[in-house]
Amino acid sequence: MYAVGNSLMPSWDRIHGLPSYRRMIARKIRAVAVLTVFFLAYYFALPLLVGYWPELMARKVWGYVNWAYLFAFSQFLMAWAVAFAYMRHADRCDRMSEGILAEAEEAGAA
């Protein structure tokens, strides 16, 4: 254990060796990968749709607003949704890390 501020923390080697820590990191990597792939696919869908189906994207929806404008605006909403999803996942990881620290402290005391 080593001191951080006013509390004692278990060593990094002990934490790194815990199966619960490895599960948390695997879940985090998987979530980040899924969110990144979704973001990139959605982001590049607009230029692909405009390039390959211009007649669909130029179709008017309301006044001067066409499907391309609506899709472009939806990308802002999608970015906020991805950020919100990541924040929820990061909150779960924070709660998991508290349990991992407690587990590492118990393993160090034994």
Side-chain angles (χ1 to χ4, degrees):
M1 291 219 194
Y2 59 92
V4 174
N6 294 333
S7 65
L8 292 174
M9 298 291 293
S11 72
W12 174 250
D13 292 332
R14 187 175 308 131
I15 293 170
H16 190 265
L18 293 173
S20 54
Y21 172 78
R22 293 181 186 271
R23 278 193 305 274
M24 181 188 72
I25 294 300
R27 286 182 63 185
K28 186 173 183 175
I29 289 171
R30 189 171 45 250
V32 168
V34 167
L35 289 171
T36 301
V37 167
F38 172 75
F39 174 81
L40 290 173
Y42 198 89
Y43 181 80
F44 286 110
L46 178 61
L48 289 172
L49 287 169
V50 169
Y52 288 106
W53 293 284
E55 61 281 350
L56 170 69
M57 299 306 281
R59 193 173 299 156
K60 302 288 185 201
V61 176
W62 180 66
Y64 292 108
V65 179
N66 61 23
W67 283 110
Y69 284 134
L70 286 179
F71 194 91
F73 175 71
S74 75
Q75 289 187 341
F76 289 100
L77 300 175
M78 180 271 310
W80 282 97
V82 167
F84 180 75
Y86 178 76
M87 285 175 39
R88 284 180 49 116
H89 181 75
D91 187 48
R92 281 188 231 120
C93 285
D94 288 346
R95 286 192 302 258
M96 288 174 68
S97 67
E98 291 170 2
I100 291 168
L101 284 175
E103 184 181 342
E105 287 174 3
E106 289 174 10

